[in-house]
Amino acid sequence: MAQLPTVDDVAQRAGVSRQTVSNVLNSPEIVREATRLRVQAAIAELGYRPHASARRLRTQQSSTIGVRLNPVLNGISGSILDLYLHALGERADERGMRIMLFTAHDIDDEIRHYQELRDGADVDAIVVTATFYDDPRIEWLAAHRMPFVAFGRPWGRADLDDPDRLWVDVDGRAGTRKATEHLVKRGLRRIGFLGWPLGSGTGDDRRAGWQDAMVAAFGSGEAELAELSMETDEGVRPGRVVIEELIARCDAAAHPLDALVCASDSLALGAMMAVREAGLPHFPIFGFDNTPTAQAVGLSSVDQRLGEVAAGTFELLMGATGRRVLPHGSGSDDDPRHRLITPQLVVRRSSHLELVEEAGGTVPGNHDRKE
Amino acid sequence: MAQLPTVDDVAQRAGVSRQTVSNVLNSPEIVREATRLRVQAAIAELGYRPHASARRLRTQQSSTIGVRLNPVLNGISGSILDLYLHALGERADERGMRIMLFTAHDIDDEIRHYQELRDGADVDAIVVTATFYDDPRIEWLAAHRMPFVAFGRPWGRADLDDPDRLWVDVDGRAGTRKATEHLVKRGLRRIGFLGWPLGSGTGDDRRAGWQDAMVAAFGSGEAELAELSMETDEGVRPGRVVIEELIARCDAAAHPLDALVCASDSLALGAMMAVREAGLPHFPIFGFDNTPTAQAVGLSSVDQRLGEVAAGTFELLMGATGRRVLPHGSGSDDDPRHRLITPQLVVRRSSHLELVEEAGGTVPGNHDRKE
DNA sequence: GCCGAAAGTTTGAACGATCAAATCTTCGGT
DNA sequence: ACCGAAGATTTGATCGTTCAAACTTTCGGC
């Protein structure tokens, strides 16, 4: 058999017509059982598989979603998008969807790709990541009625509930609150926060969670909160530098720092190095993102549960169990247009460089504890 | 304009026929200049873009390659496949190609996906990663005459030069040799190697590079090589445990260890922790893979140059400058069927936890040095 | 036993492009 | 001015599938 079998081959074999074969595949319930079984047998015998491009041409659907593969910016945390991608891939498989990747050098380039993918009927929907205030990509997608989901809230926009703006995101505030509460429960009092400069939606959100917990537990006032927190740029080095200042400041105030919650694993790693240098081997630290690095060095962190995020992405695009992408702007009113995932603590034994105290097993299992 | 424009719309606008429009797009040289300009103007005015699925149906080509997105196994080093994917994406864009991702739970599942992608004409070729001895995926692809490139040599096979087996890989041996030579040049004598258990092609290859350099520089014999090297499973913890033994062993022999070359960044990170515990703050260590983690903690490493690997992948699939995938088994005899990329050292100042000695700049630039 | 509706199946057309062959133009040579 | 070949353009068919409408069969009710 030189050629791949087509519907006609199957039809001939089963003694029915093209369309009946097509029906067996797409709406089996309207075909009489006897015929259906005969056709299915023929399909199996010939090893027939529908030709995806032909189907797409006819249905104008690709069963494919497009995702931009962002350039690796920040060493450590860049990988969370990769983890999301992995999770998306698995969920896509369950729904019979595919993922098409593309790279772009800037936003305009990305929009150019959207257009190509749309016009070529290559994708049914787009997943937009790393969204920002007044994102032109969102405007473009909405204007062209292209189905999409954003990973990341439309920070600062009034239209959080705009039915045209589907989004999934991680509730960072709940995450840092959980981390802080965990430290409070362990009897710690002076819990600091190391975050990013004010103004980034995500960063402010994570700081708010720490603040919530501190106010609830100790009724901390503005002054104390300011004394216990610092802001700096993302990265290991900035984290290390700034945390020294914070420790010094608290020591000077005669209320030494007890523990630390950070806005990212990078910052936390820097802080971890600084506290070790400062001779505080058991200083508890929480990172955020639960990156492979955190796992490797035994840093406690907040896991974003990207599997849930990916599942939410498809729910928004295709409904709870649907097998095709819903048109842009549809969706029932009782179904919210977004998903906010609550992250999970991953507590690694001493909340910092744990390995030092461990017994020397050769192939240790996973000691992470989730809560 | 409700519908997207088609070739017919453009043809009508330009006062020519369908086929002429098609020719302008696919073989412009056979169209008279005047006509070509008229058609191009019409294309621009209407914003026409060819419908990818229709083209695929007719040409039986998808301009898409399939890549399996492997599950994140080992925390740190898993990301090198992601980096490769990024690089592939950029090269694909240059060639007008797309990348389709898929996930699979095991090898059989992966082959099932191959079949689907092939039968649906979804992809023109497959990129296979993490290949191993007598890989059934390779057999399947070759048997079904599906074009493919493997990232990773067919270790242990006699058919390294089988024209049916296209592969790209990184010359790990050259990488560890370079790293070792670098340490030799810095005046170090007792340079150890921390690798994986014998029998893994990649691991043995990396060990061989270290051995090459040690023999060339010092004429090291079997005994010394054995004394200076250890094997263990991949991971931070195993690395840390084993390196303590190695240090102790060398101290006992009255020839303390001076430096270390490792088969992975994970092992190197473990080693880094161990030597710091042992009170050796300036002990030079080289990792392998140049992962984000290595970058973050200032670990010297060997960069695989995945951009080059990705470029090689497309050269093998499509020729030096081609825009379409070559059929399986084609390719001229003078063009080798593989690419072996020489990696690059990334020397971070002291070849280990550098941050400690640095001045406290707030937003430091990239201090990595490549050689 | 006939009628009509419902269920099941088939037929022709279409999706939007390219291939192969047919037709029309151009143009140099005699 | 005519011929033939090369160059440029058009026409009909086709890729494999699904849609829409036409057609055939089944079956309950009177």
Side-chain angles (χ1 to χ4, degrees):
Chain A
M1 192 212 313
Q3 283 299 90
L4 251 39
T6 75
V7 270
D8 283 306
D9 299 324
V10 176
Q12 196 166 4
R13 178 93 167 210
V16 295
S17 72
R18 257 176 316 167
Q19 185 59 37
T20 301
V21 177
S22 174
N23 287 339
V24 169
L25 265 72
N26 300 304
S27 14
E29 69 281 1
I30 70 166
V31 179
R32 197 203 321 233
E33 176 158 14
T35 339
R36 191 177 61 230
L37 292 174
R38 204 147 32 93
V39 171
Q40 281 165 339
I43 289 177
E45 285 170 41
L46 296 175
Y48 165 80
R49 300 200 141 280
H51 192 290
S53 293
R55 173 178 279 170
R56 278 176 214 163
L57 172 59
R58 181 66 245 221
T59 62
Q60 306 286 22
Q61 293 200 333
S62 62
S63 297
T64 302
I65 62 172
V67 186
R68 173 180 174 188
L69 190 60
N70 295 61
V72 188
L73 297 168
N74 38 359
I76 293 185
S77 303
S79 56
I80 63 155
L81 278 178
D82 287 324
L83 293 173
Y84 175 54
L85 200 55
H86 280 92
L88 270 184
E90 297 193 6
R91 292 299 177 289
D93 204 32
E94 291 167 9
R95 301 244 193 183
M97 299 291 288
R98 305 237 150 86
I99 293 183
M100 178 159 289
L101 278 191
F102 58 95
T103 57
H105 300 102
D106 53 49
I107 294 289
D108 290 334
D109 196 33
E110 184 167 352
I111 290 179
R112 176 182 66 80
H113 272 96
Y114 291 173
Q115 187 139 19
E116 270 188 29
L117 291 171
R118 184 186 114 100
D119 294 352
D122 273 314
V123 302
D124 293 338
I126 294 276
V127 170
V128 187
T129 60
T131 55
F132 50 88
Y133 182 80
D134 268 345
D135 198 320
R137 297 172 296 175
I138 307 288
E139 310 299 331
W140 190 93
L141 289 165
H144 290 75
R145 306 194 58 72
M146 174 98 188
F148 72 94
V149 169
F151 177 14
R153 271 162 279 189
W155 293 107
R157 291 199 66 100
D159 50 11
L160 266 180
D161 289 309
D162 183 333
D164 278 356
R165 304 282 197 279
L166 304 178
W167 56 264
V168 287
D169 206 355
V170 174
D171 190 350
R173 184 171 189 162
T176 45
R177 186 169 53 229
K178 274 186 174 184
T180 311
E181 285 166 353
H182 172 87
L183 296 168
V184 168
K185 253 183 268 169
R186 288 186 54 188
L188 301 164
R189 173 65 185 83
R190 296 278 290 177
I191 303 166
F193 180 79
L194 177 55
W196 300 316
L198 293 181
S200 87
T202 310
D204 296 353
D205 194 50
R206 292 184 187 176
R207 188 181 192 281
W210 162 77
Q211 181 168 331
D212 289 349
M214 291 299 283
V215 169
F218 311 119
S220 303
E222 286 292 334
E224 187 183 24
L225 292 172
E227 189 182 77
L228 284 172
S229 64
M230 288 204 82
E231 289 82 34
T232 186
D233 294 315
E234 168 67 356
V236 176
R237 252 172 271 223
R240 181 178 166 279
V241 170
V242 164
I243 210 63
E244 284 179 353
E245 287 182 47
L246 184 58
I247 289 175
R249 184 208 285 169
C250 290
D251 283 349
H255 291 296
L257 204 59
D258 291 333
L260 190 62
V261 173
C262 302
S264 76
D265 281 350
S266 300
L267 291 174
L269 190 59
M272 204 163 90
M273 291 175 168
V275 297
R276 287 186 64 77
E277 282 304 308
L280 304 167
H282 296 291
F283 190 94
I285 295 179
F286 264 93
F288 203 109
D289 285 347
N290 193 26
T291 54
T293 303
Q295 198 180 334
V297 303
L299 172 70
S300 292
S301 193
V302 179
D303 188 287
Q304 304 213 21
R305 298 211 294 163
L306 294 168
E308 301 300 312
V309 177
T313 305
F314 279 105
E315 280 175 31
L316 290 171
L317 277 179
M318 313 176 73
T321 60
R323 309 267 312 168
R324 55 183 51 186
V325 170
L326 305 169
H328 176 85
S330 76
S332 57
D333 279 343
D334 52 344
D335 183 41
R337 301 303 201 286
H338 52 81
R339 293 283 186 284
L340 192 58
I341 308 297
T342 303
Q344 198 170 34
L345 287 194
V346 179
V347 179
R348 298 194 167 94
R349 286 197 214 161
S350 73
S351 294
H352 73 298
L353 257 180
E354 171 55 27
L355 299 165
V356 178
E357 285 76 21
E358 266 175 34
T362 50
V363 185
N366 187 349
H367 293 302
D368 302 345
R369 191 155 55 90
K370 305 211 166 189
E371 21 184 278
Chain B
M1 190 216 311
Q3 282 300 88
L4 250 39
T6 75
V7 271
D8 284 305
D9 298 324
V10 176
Q12 195 167 4
R13 178 91 167 212
V16 295
S17 72
R18 260 176 308 161
Q19 184 59 37
T20 301
V21 176
S22 173
N23 287 337
V24 168
L25 265 72
N26 300 305
S27 10
E29 69 281 1
I30 71 164
V31 178
R32 201 203 318 234
E33 177 157 16
T35 336
R36 190 177 63 230
L37 292 174
R38 206 147 30 95
V39 171
Q40 281 166 341
I43 289 177
E45 284 169 43
L46 296 176
Y48 165 79
R49 297 203 142 279
H51 191 290
S53 293
R55 172 179 280 170
R56 278 173 208 166
L57 173 58
R58 183 66 243 224
T59 63
Q60 306 286 21
Q61 296 200 331
S62 62
S63 297
T64 302
I65 62 172
V67 185
R68 174 181 175 186
L69 190 60
N70 294 62
V72 188
L73 297 168
N74 38 359
I76 292 185
S77 304
S79 55
I80 63 155
L81 279 177
D82 287 325
L83 292 173
Y84 175 55
L85 200 54
H86 279 94
L88 269 185
E90 298 195 5
R91 292 300 178 288
D93 205 31
E94 293 167 8
R95 301 247 192 178
M97 299 290 289
R98 305 239 151 84
I99 292 183
M100 178 156 288
L101 277 190
F102 58 96
T103 57
H105 300 103
D106 52 48
I107 294 289
D108 290 334
D109 197 32
E110 184 167 351
I111 290 179
R112 177 183 65 80
H113 272 96
Y114 290 174
Q115 187 140 17
E116 270 188 31
L117 291 171
R118 182 186 116 101
D119 295 349
D122 273 314
V123 302
D124 293 339
I126 294 276
V127 170
V128 187
T129 60
T131 54
F132 50 86
Y133 182 81
D134 267 346
D135 198 321
R137 297 172 298 175
I138 307 288
E139 311 299 330
W140 190 94
L141 290 166
H144 290 75
R145 303 194 60 71
M146 175 100 187
F148 72 93
V149 170
F151 177 14
R153 272 163 278 187
W155 292 107
R157 291 198 66 99
D159 51 9
L160 266 179
D161 289 309
D162 183 333
D164 278 357
R165 306 280 197 276
L166 304 179
W167 55 264
V168 287
D169 206 353
V170 173
D171 190 349
R173 185 171 189 162
T176 45
R177 188 170 51 229
K178 274 187 174 183
T180 311
E181 285 166 355
H182 173 86
L183 295 168
V184 168
K185 253 185 266 170
R186 288 186 55 187
L188 300 164
R189 172 65 184 85
R190 297 276 290 177
I191 303 165
F193 180 79
L194 178 55
W196 300 316
L198 293 180
S200 89
T202 310
D204 297 352
D205 194 50
R206 293 185 186 174
R207 187 181 193 281
W210 162 77
Q211 182 169 331
D212 289 347
M214 291 299 282
V215 170
F218 311 118
S220 303
E222 286 292 334
E224 188 183 23
L225 292 172
E227 188 180 76
L228 284 172
S229 64
M230 288 204 81
E231 288 82 35
T232 187
D233 293 316
E234 168 70 355
V236 176
R237 253 172 269 223
R240 181 178 165 280
V241 169
V242 164
I243 209 64
E244 284 178 353
E245 287 181 48
L246 184 58
I247 289 175
R249 184 208 286 169
C250 290
D251 283 350
H255 290 296
L257 206 61
D258 291 334
L260 191 62
V261 173
C262 302
S264 77
D265 282 350
S266 299
L267 290 174
L269 190 58
M272 205 162 91
M273 291 174 165
V275 299
R276 288 185 66 75
E277 283 303 310
L280 305 167
H282 296 292
F283 190 93
I285 295 179
F286 265 93
F288 203 110
D289 286 347
N290 193 26
T291 55
T293 302
Q295 198 178 334
V297 303
L299 171 69
S300 292
S301 194
V302 179
D303 188 286
Q304 305 212 22
R305 299 210 295 162
L306 294 169
E308 301 300 312
V309 177
T313 305
F314 279 105
E315 280 175 32
L316 290 172
L317 277 179
M318 314 175 72
T321 60
R323 310 264 315 164
R324 56 183 51 187
V325 171
L326 304 170
H328 176 85
S330 75
S332 57
D333 280 343
D334 52 345
D335 183 39
R337 303 302 201 288
H338 52 82
R339 294 281 187 282
L340 191 58
I341 308 298
T342 304
Q344 200 171 33
L345 287 195
V346 179
V347 180
R348 298 196 167 93
R349 287 198 214 160
S350 73
S351 295
H352 73 298
L353 258 179
E354 172 55 26
L355 300 164
V356 179
E357 285 76 23
E358 266 173 35
T362 49
V363 187
N366 188 347
H367 293 301
D368 303 345
R369 187 156 58 89
K370 304 210 167 186
E371 27 183 274

